Amino acid sequence: MRRAEELKERTVWKSDPHTQVKHLVYRHYLQCWMGKSCQTFPEATIVDAFAGPGVYTDSPPGSPVVIARTFLEHTAYQRFNRLNLICLEERPDRVEELHRQFAKLPKAPKLHISIQPPGKFAEQQPRLSALARRPRGDPRPVGGRSVRPEERAVLADPAVPCRTTRRGAVHPLHERTAPLLPA
Ligand SMILES: C[S@@+](CC[C@H](N)C(=O)[O-])C[C@H]1O[C@@H](n2cnc3c(N)ncnc32)[C@H](O)[C@@H]1O
């Protein structure tokens, strides 16, 4: 079966070298981004808006699991604050598989995973943007005051509109990683 057919017909498909390189680049970028954002900000959010099933038939993890594991296995994890990981995928079978893949990860109170019901990005985008910017963590004020929006770091999928805040906390993932990918 050709790759395009496999992607269309099956819940989970085989990875390819491009995907593996992309995930390697994600992992390296996320290690740096998390090292800074998850210690500087009381909470950080990553939106994976084309999440897929979280695994490939030849066993490498999909991008949402890459993100979660990069957080959990980070050398600075003990000093990290909360990370919200919001996932959107349009196909119900892949959303189900993603739930199964995340269920295999160790429970971690600092990692809040939110798998959205199946939905198309274009229709869900305003809701996703609002979710990404809403404080979800401990409602108690930090240092005696509430967390301001610019004090939350948001790393978004390529298609999620991003804005730069006063402290540059909102980053589109593709801008940082795309130039590193092979043509
Ligand atoms: C190439 S896969 C990427 C999977 C994952 N990001 C990874 O790197 O492991 C793209 C996924 O996006 C989903 N998808 C395609 N169009 C979508 C849309 N408009 N909204 C949400 N998901 C979509 C597909 O069903 C597919 O599972």
Side-chain angles (χ1 to χ4, degrees):
M1 191 184 275
R2 289 163 53 124
R3 183 175 164 76
E5 284 167 346
E6 205 187 4
L7 225 157
K8 199 169 151 206
E9 301 294 325
R10 304 216 165 131
T11 303
V12 179
W13 62 96
K14 193 171 178 296
S15 73
D16 65 1
H18 176 269
T19 308
Q20 305 233 18
V21 170
K22 184 182 80 172
H23 288 180
L24 191 68
V25 174
Y26 276 13
R27 200 173 289 118
H28 282 298
Y29 177 72
L30 287 166
Q31 274 166 354
C32 300
W33 186 88
M34 287 174 180
K36 183 155 189 203
S37 300
C38 296
Q39 296 184 80
T40 306
F41 299 96
E43 66 178 279
T45 299
I46 297 178
V47 181
D48 191 340
F50 297 82
V55 70
Y56 290 84
T57 49
D58 49 334
S59 84
S63 60
V65 175
V66 167
I67 296 167
R69 281 202 195 154
T70 305
F71 180 77
L72 296 171
E73 293 164 8
H74 201 286
T75 50
Y77 176 75
Q78 293 305 326
R79 297 190 296 278
F80 277 1
N81 296 318
R82 178 187 171 104
L83 177 71
N84 305 311
L85 172 53
I86 301 171
C87 301
L88 179 74
E89 162 60 45
E90 68 173 357
R91 283 183 43 162
D93 57 332
R94 291 182 181 158
V95 170
E96 252 180 60
E97 183 58 41
L98 186 56
H99 277 284
R100 273 194 289 275
Q101 294 303 320
F102 275 139
K104 295 179 189 170
L105 291 178
K107 297 283 161 280
K110 288 197 269 191
L111 177 61
H112 183 94
I113 296 169
S114 168
I115 306 175
Q116 300 297 301
K120 282 192 189 296
F121 172 72
E123 291 155 15
Q124 297 299 318
Q125 185 269 317
R127 206 175 58 80
L128 282 185
S129 289
L131 259 183
R133 295 189 172 96
R134 191 176 74 190
R136 299 172 60 85
D138 190 336
R140 284 174 302 179
V142 172
R145 58 178 176 72
S146 300
V147 178
R148 295 191 298 268
E150 66 269 24
E151 290 177 301
R152 278 179 280 117
V154 178
L155 184 64
D157 223 70
V160 179
C162 294
R163 70 192 158 86
T164 306
T165 64
R166 189 161 53 84
R167 292 173 63 176
V170 181
H171 305 137
L173 182 56
H174 72 305
E175 265 184 21
R176 307 301 167 108
T177 55
L180 301 173
L181 290 172

